[in-house]
Amino acid sequence: MVLLVLGGMLVWAFGAMLATATLQTNGEPVPAAKSPSDAAPSATPRPSLPVKGVSSLDFRLGDCFKDFDPSTPDAEVVACASPHSAQLVAVHQYAAADSYPGSTAMKAKGREACQAAPLNSKTTGYELKYRLAYPSPDSWRSGDRRVDCYITSTSGNIIKSSLLP
């Protein structure tokens, strides 16, 4: 069972590495979302930071990450006011009863979540990309139903504030 969960996390992390889209920041603020997904959880700040070794399955909406590498199963969560390279800006949670929709549908749902993320004007001045993470068939069978949208810096730990309002 442990190997199945670890294997699912690795496949999930690999999927995150493969799903990338460019965020346009031509000096203009990204428009705020009309309304977030009904299934998306609200941001829940962590009581004390930094926290090393946080599992990708335990990431929270609004978390900021130092030296973010989507191909690893865990990351260091830091205060968004400190230098970081990524932030989790949107989450879509499929219902437990849903059947596996396939990677194409999950990529589309992830892009939709990214586009709906209510970003603030602090996205200007950075070269940023959207990155998606979604369940593999194996991790879906283990109960993983999250599609995550991250915004990542293409230049390392240069972001020094939250990109969410």
Side-chain angles (χ1 to χ4, degrees):
M1 179 65 170
V2 172
L3 290 176
L4 179 63
V5 171
L6 288 175
M9 287 176 56
L10 288 174
V11 171
W12 179 82
F14 182 71
M17 184 174 60
L18 295 177
T20 303
T22 302
L23 170 65
Q24 299 299 319
T25 59
N26 299 326
E28 297 178 24
V30 176
K34 293 176 182 140
S35 64
S37 168
D38 293 336
S42 59
T44 307
R46 295 181 186 273
S48 103
L49 295 170
V51 180
K52 292 184 179 185
V54 177
S55 166
S56 58
L57 297 175
D58 293 325
F59 292 169
R60 297 178 185 176
L61 184 63
D63 276 351
C64 292
F65 306 97
K66 182 177 180 184
D67 300 322
F68 185 67
D69 180 357
S71 66
T72 61
D74 59 14
E76 181 177 358
V77 179
V78 298
C80 291
S82 66
H84 58 281
S85 61
Q87 183 172 8
L88 180 58
V89 297
V91 175
H92 175 78
Q93 185 75 37
Y94 282 95
D98 286 350
S99 59
Y100 184 72
S103 63
T104 302
M106 284 190 284
K107 284 179 192 177
K109 184 57 76 176
R111 287 185 192 111
E112 180 183 308
C114 286
Q115 291 170 349
L119 303 178
N120 62 34
S121 63
K122 294 179 180 159
T123 59
T124 61
Y126 298 112
E127 188 174 332
L128 303 170
K129 289 188 177 209
Y130 284 118
R131 296 190 69 108
L132 307 176
Y134 48 87
S136 68
D138 287 338
S139 64
W140 185 275
R141 283 189 288 277
S142 298
D144 181 10
R145 299 290 190 272
R146 274 177 59 153
V147 176
D148 292 344
C149 172
Y150 303 90
I151 291 187
T152 62
S153 163
T154 59
S155 303
N157 296 310
I158 62 166
I159 305 168
K160 296 181 183 171
S161 63
S162 176
L163 302 176
L164 293 173

